[in-house]
Amino acid sequence: NLPNGEKSFIQYEEGVFKNFFLTTSEKYFLNNFSGHVVMPVFDQGLSFNQTVIDNLHKAKIFLDFFDLTDFNRNINDIQYMLKKSHGAFFGLNESDQILINEIKQFSQSTGKPCLVTLGKDGAVYFDDKEYSVDAKKVNVIDTTGAGDTFIATFMSAKISGENTVDALKYARDHSAEVVAQKGCLITP
């Protein structure tokens, strides 16, 4: 684990991405899918991401760039993908203020919403306005799944019609529940 609680995955071995392709039926499915898609983006999977994005004509695509480590923490390296999406997610730290400001500028200049989770410092969301939420103070046991939980519950709330502030609070509360226990579980 890194000092900020994130996990470090330093070894990549070629696997499914090496010879990835879509079958005719998979292309048909993607071309006709009209829901919301949250897609993780890793440097080694860019051809996969691009292929899927190019075939999602009706879906709303949101990209999760994590902490941008795969892209040298440079938003300019991913702008071509951001422009094809409906929005993006990032997992940064309060100390990443320059990068956060670049994300804010991108969001404001393109109209594409961007959510930045900040771990113990909460989260900030940019669209035509800026929204933020403080983290809920809990005894952190395990951060596994905290960012995924935040994104999933935030998206669920927004799709269900919640306003941005309530969606952020909902996501914050569920993420706090996840980090306060071992493993990524939310108890009913």
Side-chain angles (χ1 to χ4, degrees):
N1 288 349
L2 300 173
N4 64 0
E6 289 293 321
K7 310 294 186 267
S8 177
F9 303 100
I10 57 173
Q11 182 176 348
Y12 169 72
E13 295 183 22
E14 275 189 359
V16 297
F17 292 132
K18 183 177 180 182
N19 298 311
F20 175 78
F21 68 95
L22 292 172
T23 65
T24 302
S25 62
E26 291 167 336
K27 287 180 184 178
Y28 178 81
F29 173 80
L30 290 175
N31 277 295
N32 291 289
F33 181 75
S34 61
H36 293 76
V37 175
V38 176
M39 184 182 305
V41 182
F42 299 98
D43 183 44
Q44 67 270 16
L46 286 179
S47 63
F48 164 81
N49 292 117
Q50 196 60 51
T51 300
V52 172
I53 289 169
D54 288 346
N55 283 279
L56 284 167
H57 300 293
K58 298 177 183 175
K60 291 190 176 181
I61 305 164
F62 296 85
L63 303 175
D64 184 356
F65 290 98
F66 305 95
D67 65 358
L68 286 169
T69 299
D70 281 11
F71 305 96
N72 299 313
R73 300 181 59 79
N74 185 342
I75 193 169
N76 294 322
D77 290 349
I78 59 167
Q79 289 218 16
Y80 71 97
M81 289 190 76
L82 284 169
K83 289 178 181 172
K84 291 186 172 190
S85 74
H86 288 83
F89 303 109
F90 303 89
L92 303 175
N93 294 303
E94 183 86 1
S95 62
D96 294 320
Q97 203 56 52
I98 292 171
L99 193 50
I100 294 167
N101 287 336
E102 290 173 355
I103 292 167
K104 177 181 179 178
Q105 289 171 349
F106 169 82
S107 178
Q108 291 176 340
S109 68
T110 62
K112 299 196 186 261
C114 292
L115 173 66
V116 181
T117 58
L118 301 167
K120 66 178 178 56
D121 296 310
V124 62
Y125 179 82
F126 306 109
D127 58 13
D128 57 332
K129 295 180 183 174
E130 180 177 335
Y131 304 87
S132 63
V133 64
D134 291 331
K136 193 172 190 177
K137 304 299 179 203
V138 296
N139 180 30
V140 176
I141 296 172
D142 185 357
T143 62
T144 303
D148 293 332
T149 300
F150 200 103
I151 291 169
T153 53
F154 178 80
M155 287 293 294
S156 174
K158 288 293 284 178
I159 291 168
S160 297
E162 291 292 332
N163 67 54
T164 301
V165 172
D166 288 342
L168 286 168
K169 289 177 182 176
Y170 180 70
R172 178 220 30 219
D173 292 348
H174 280 78
S175 293
E177 187 177 337
V178 167
V179 302
Q181 58 191 345
K182 184 75 173 158
C184 182
L185 300 169
I186 296 178
T187 53

